[in-house]
Amino acid sequence: MTIRLHDTNARQIRDFVPLTAGCVSIYLCGATVQAAPHIGHIRSGLNFDIMRRWFEYRGYDVTFIRNVTDIDDKIIKKSAEQGRPWWSIGYENERAFSDGYDALGCLPPTYEPRATGHITEMIEMMRGLIERGHAYEADGNVYFDVRSFEGYLELSNQDLDDLRQPSGDNETGKRDKRDFAMWKTAKPGEPSWETPWGRGRPGWHLECSAMAHKYLGTAFDIHGGGIDLIFPHHENEIAQAKAFGDEFAKYWVHNGWVTLAGEKMSKSLGNSVLVSEMVKQWRPIVLRYYLGTPHYRSMIEYSEESLRDAESAFARIEGFVQRVVEKAGPVEAAAEVPPAFAEAMDDDLGVPQALAIVHTTVRQGNSALAADDKEAAVARLAEVRAMLGVLGLDPLDPHWAGESDRGEDLHGVVDTLVRLVLDQRQSARARKDWPAADAIRDQLNQSGLVIEDSPSGPRWTLGPR
C-alpha cells in the first residue's frame, strides 16, 4: 500500500513517504476571519478532512494543524469600517468558521492556533533571519530580502526579474520593491505589539511560518491550502522558514476553487455563498457530498442545478441504506473498504473514482433487495458504510443523526396524513382501479414525496427538491 499525492513543488504525483514511520503531520492554512465563510473557504477544510480520514484509515497517526489568521490588513480595515474592535470581528467570524466546519462534518484539528497567540515565536524567527542576513529593519518594518534566498519562487515557478510582489500601506524603506513585509510598523489606533524594532503587527506570511515551526517542528510532511495561496503566501512561507534553518514541508498539496460565473468565489467580489445561509437551504450532508466528491484539485462551478444533482445522487445512496436497515436492522461498517475504492483513494485521493465504487455497490445492494437476498444486501451495506465513513458521508454516523430530526415535530403529522392517502391508493389497487391509484401516486410525487411499493407495503420518503 502506497498513498500517492500531487506535489505542487515537484509538479507531479509522488509516492508519499512520511518523515516518521506511521505518522503524518499536516499544516493547513485555515481561516482569515475578517468575514463569515462562504462554501469556497469550507471546501479547503473539507478536502483536507477527507485526506486526514484516509490517512487514518490506512493506519497513520495524524497530527493536523489548521491555523486561524486573526490579525491582518483586511480585519483592520473591517474594524475601521464597522467601528468595532478588531478582536470582536475576528472572534465572531472564527466562530462562524467553526460552525461551518462542524456543520459539514469536518473532524476538529489536533490544534487550531491563532496568529495573535504566537507573537513571541514570530519575533524569534525575525531575529534569527536578521542575524543570518535574510531580513532587515526599516522605518519600524521588518522585510525579507528575497534576493538572499536562492530557492525563492521555486514553488510558483516564477522569474524574480518579472515578479510583482503585493504590498500593503505604509511599507516604506524597502531595499528592493520585491521584498515582502514580515512585520509592519504600528499606525495610530491600530493593534500593535512591542518588538525590538518598535511597536507593530505581524505580516500574514510570517504568522504561518512561525506557527508551523511551533507545532510541527523544523520539518513536517504536508502543507496544504487553496491554489490561490501558492503565491505570495506559500512562497513567502518557504523563504522565511528555510532561510531560518527549517526543512519545512516535504509535500505541497493545493485544492481548487469554487467558482461562480467563472470567477473565484470571494468576499471582495461579492459573489460568495455563505455557509450559514446554505445550510438553511440544503442539508449539510448534501453540501458535503457536493463539495467533497469532486477531485480536490478540480474547480467546482457553483450552481443550484449541480447542487440538486448532488442531492439526487446522495438520495440514491441514502435510500439504499434506509431500506436495508428497515429490512435487516442495524448493520456495522465493514472492517475494510473494497480494494477498488482503496486503489482510487491511494491514487492522489481519487474521490470521484472511489465514489463510482460506492454507487456500483449501492446498485448491487438494490438488486439484492429486489431479489429478496437479505444476506447480500447486508454485505453490500457494510461495504457502503465503510466507504462513506472514509468520505464523512455515512448517514448512520452519529454526527448526521440530527439531520433526520429536522422537522421531526411535523414528521408524525405528515406520516399520518400520507398514510391516509396511501390507504386510499391501496383501496384503489385492491379494486384494480389502476388509473386512480396512479393518479394518487403522481399527486404525491408532485408534492415532493417518493412512493415505493415494497413487500411490507408502500413507503414514502422526501424526494429531491
Side-chain angles (χ1 to χ4, degrees):
M1 174 275 296
T2 301
I3 294 176
R4 306 175 73 231
L5 295 172
H6 185 273
D7 180 5
T8 304
N9 194 46
R11 294 170 185 80
Q12 63 181 346
I13 295 176
R14 298 172 55 201
D15 288 352
F16 176 76
V17 181
L19 290 167
T20 302
C23 299
V24 181
S25 47
I26 304 172
Y27 185 94
L28 174 63
C29 284
T32 299
V33 289
Q34 86 271 17
H38 56 63
I39 57 174
H41 295 125
I42 299 299
R43 182 195 182 186
S44 181
L46 202 160
N47 287 152
F48 285 89
D49 180 67
I50 292 173
M51 173 191 283
R52 174 200 186 162
R53 288 170 183 263
W54 184 243
F55 273 121
E56 289 180 344
Y57 172 82
R58 281 305 198 189
Y60 287 94
D61 181 10
V62 180
T63 300
F64 181 55
I65 311 299
R66 186 183 66 209
N67 77 293
V68 175
T69 298
D70 60 341
I71 186 68
D72 81 335
D73 292 345
K74 296 174 182 177
I75 295 171
I76 292 172
K77 183 180 179 182
K78 288 283 186 181
S79 174
E81 291 173 352
Q82 298 179 16
R84 295 172 57 198
W86 61 272
W87 43 263
S88 172
I89 292 172
Y91 183 71
E92 176 183 284
N93 292 312
E94 181 182 339
R95 294 300 310 151
F97 269 89
S98 295
D99 290 346
Y101 291 132
D102 291 346
L104 269 64
C106 294
L107 299 173
T110 310
Y111 304 108
E112 192 166 25
R114 294 191 186 102
T116 55
H118 298 80
I119 301 299
T120 299
E121 290 83 357
M122 296 178 206
I123 292 172
E124 290 175 356
M125 183 167 279
M126 286 188 287
R127 183 183 288 115
L129 289 169
I130 290 173
E131 291 172 354
R132 292 169 174 80
H134 292 293
Y136 58 93
E137 182 273 337
D139 300 336
N141 301 298
V142 179
Y143 298 107
F144 186 90
D145 181 354
V146 298
R147 288 191 175 275
S148 73
F149 179 65
E150 186 176 349
Y152 191 59
L153 299 181
E154 286 183 358
L155 182 69
S156 56
N157 197 28
Q158 298 184 77
D159 189 320
L160 184 60
D161 291 332
D162 297 330
L163 180 66
R164 293 185 178 183
Q165 183 79 255
S167 293
D169 296 337
N170 208 35
E171 293 188 9
T172 60
K174 283 186 179 182
R175 296 174 185 171
D176 187 313
K177 63 182 181 181
R178 290 162 291 198
D179 295 344
F180 61 87
M182 294 192 294
W183 192 262
K184 302 185 180 186
T185 189
K187 293 181 184 178
E190 288 188 350
S192 63
W193 290 261
E194 188 61 57
T195 75
W197 313 282
R199 293 193 68 84
R201 59 184 175 83
W204 176 30
H205 318 304
L206 178 65
E207 297 174 348
C208 285
S209 296
M211 286 187 285
H213 179 91
K214 167 78 172 181
Y215 291 93
L216 297 176
T218 60
F220 57 96
D221 292 305
I222 299 168
H223 196 310
I227 58 170
D228 52 319
L229 301 182
I230 294 173
F231 182 83
H233 186 48
H234 289 165
E235 196 73 75
N236 292 350
E237 278 189 66
I238 292 171
Q240 293 164 150
K242 290 194 171 184
F244 184 67
D246 291 357
E247 294 180 38
F248 212 49
K250 188 176 180 182
Y251 299 85
W252 286 87
V253 179
H254 292 92
N255 64 276
W257 292 334
V258 178
T259 61
L260 185 60
E263 292 187 273
K264 173 197 169 190
M265 193 170 286
S266 70
K267 302 173 190 130
S268 60
L269 290 175
N271 60 5
S272 59
V273 184
L274 295 180
V275 176
S276 58
E277 294 302 315
M278 292 294 288
V279 295
K280 297 175 184 176
Q281 303 172 47
W282 303 88
R283 293 173 60 202
I285 198 169
V286 170
L287 284 175
R288 183 178 177 101
Y289 185 98
Y290 171 65
L291 294 170
T293 54
H295 193 274
Y296 74 89
R297 288 192 284 123
S298 67
M299 299 295 183
I300 299 176
E301 175 69 14
Y302 170 79
S303 71
E304 286 203 7
E305 181 181 1
S306 57
L307 252 170
R308 284 192 293 271
D309 290 343
E311 183 180 49
S312 297
F314 185 73
R316 290 193 291 273
I317 296 173
E318 193 172 33
F320 165 69
V321 173
Q322 292 171 344
R323 284 190 290 274
V324 177
V325 170
E326 287 177 3
K327 187 177 185 68
V331 176
E332 293 298 319
E336 296 184 0
V337 299
F341 181 94
E343 182 180 354
M345 292 297 292
D346 282 340
D347 188 12
D348 196 29
L349 303 176
V351 173
Q353 294 78 15
L355 191 66
I357 306 303
V358 174
H359 282 284
T360 296
T361 309
V362 166
R363 287 194 292 272
Q364 293 169 348
N366 281 327
S367 296
L369 284 173
D372 203 24
D373 187 344
K374 179 179 174 181
E375 183 178 350
V378 167
R380 298 294 80 75
L381 176 55
E383 293 172 343
V384 167
R385 287 203 65 192
M387 293 185 282
L388 293 179
V390 167
L391 300 176
L393 287 168
D394 181 1
L396 300 181
D397 186 280
H399 176 82
W400 303 114
E403 280 222 338
S404 61
D405 295 336
R406 295 196 313 166
E408 191 67 27
D409 291 343
L410 290 175
H411 188 278
V413 176
V414 174
D415 184 63
T416 300
L417 294 174
V418 173
R419 291 294 168 192
L420 289 173
V421 178
L422 289 177
D423 286 345
Q424 294 177 13
R425 178 172 176 262
Q426 285 296 95
S427 297
R429 288 164 61 89
R431 63 177 183 269
K432 297 185 179 182
D433 187 353
W434 309 119
D438 290 344
I440 292 172
R441 182 197 60 204
D442 292 344
Q443 287 177 337
L444 289 171
N445 286 342
Q446 290 174 11
S447 70
L449 300 176
V450 175
I451 307 303
E452 297 176 77
D453 293 310
S454 70
S456 59
R459 62 189 298 273
W460 67 271
T461 56
L462 287 174
R465 67 194 66 207

